[in-house]
Amino acid sequence: MEQENLLVKQAQQGDVHAFAQLYECCYRDLYRFALYNLGQEEDARDVVSDTVLAAFEGIGRLRSAEAFRGWIFQILLNQCRKRRRQYMHKTEELTEDRKSGSAGMERLPDAQMDPCESMDVRRAFQTLPEEDRMIVSLSVLGGYSSGEIGALLHRNANTVRSRLSRSMRRMQVLLEG
């Protein structure tokens, strides 16, 4: 964490290499978060790219180096929201593979889940309030502890634990019912 804070401070002073190192440290977490929230590999890559560009352009305005991860994930969350709004206004003709249901079935790399189960999990996940989706994503996909998530989201670790627990129970009920 100390190393990351140093890199943030260097990046704020215009050090492109420091920013590149920050990107390397968080790319996988950003991508997994975006992929799980959007469900499409191409869209996930796009929003992560947009996020990194916005972060690079705005890092000089970041007030606290310690807030970097929460800040970049907030940018990512906003990019995911924007992409989901675009889905609502997007119309396209269905191709044969999309009509048969084979499109849109991309899964997280190395996932061992069948496509139907994966879709059910995504549907259950999407029923959660936005902040709860972020908590679940950061915990399950990013491997962050409740204390780390609390720091990222400016929430008490106990609050994060209880929201994570409630969210996981809610998803379980939906999946079993």
Side-chain angles (χ1 to χ4, degrees):
M1 194 63 141
E2 230 176 273
Q3 176 67 18
E4 185 174 285
N5 292 343
L6 178 62
L7 289 172
V8 170
K9 289 175 184 173
Q10 291 170 342
Q12 287 178 310
Q13 295 170 358
D15 186 338
V16 176
H17 298 291
F19 188 84
Q21 286 181 288
L22 285 169
Y23 172 70
E24 285 179 32
C25 292
C26 66
Y27 170 78
R28 186 178 191 119
D29 293 341
L30 294 172
Y31 175 74
R32 290 185 339 185
F33 179 87
L35 180 60
Y36 203 81
N37 278 279
L38 298 174
Q40 302 289 328
E41 292 177 9
E42 186 176 317
D43 288 341
R45 284 190 296 271
D46 288 348
V47 297
V48 169
S49 293
D50 293 345
T51 296
V52 171
L53 180 60
F56 181 74
E57 290 172 348
I59 196 157
R61 294 186 300 272
L62 180 63
R63 292 189 181 157
S64 166
E66 293 80 17
F68 174 77
R69 284 210 174 236
W71 174 74
I72 199 165
F73 269 97
Q74 189 61 51
I75 294 171
L76 178 62
L77 182 60
N78 290 336
Q79 292 294 333
C80 288
R81 284 181 189 145
K82 186 161 70 171
R83 183 58 54 110
R84 281 196 302 270
R85 279 193 304 272
Q86 289 172 350
Y87 291 163
M88 303 302 278
H89 301 291
K90 185 177 181 180
T91 59
E92 65 182 63
E93 188 173 321
L94 292 177
T95 60
E96 283 305 311
D97 64 329
R98 294 193 69 149
K99 286 178 186 174
S100 66
S102 63
M105 299 297 288
E106 292 88 354
R107 292 179 286 158
L108 288 172
D110 303 319
Q112 300 299 318
M113 197 177 290
D114 73 51
C116 292
E117 188 176 343
S118 177
M119 288 175 61
D120 290 343
V121 170
R122 285 189 183 146
R123 274 191 216 108
F125 178 76
Q126 290 302 323
T127 67
L128 300 175
E130 192 170 288
E131 187 169 0
D132 291 350
R133 286 194 311 263
M134 189 166 199
I135 289 169
V136 170
S137 295
L138 289 168
S139 175
V140 174
L141 302 173
Y144 288 94
S145 71
S146 55
E148 292 169 324
I149 296 169
L152 289 171
L153 300 178
H154 307 290
R155 299 277 185 256
N156 182 294
N158 292 330
T159 302
V160 169
R161 275 191 292 280
S162 69
R163 289 184 76 169
L164 177 61
S165 177
R166 268 195 314 264
S167 296
M168 297 302 280
R169 275 195 310 273
R170 181 176 178 183
M171 286 179 62
Q172 183 176 9
V173 166
L174 288 170
L175 290 168
E176 290 174 349

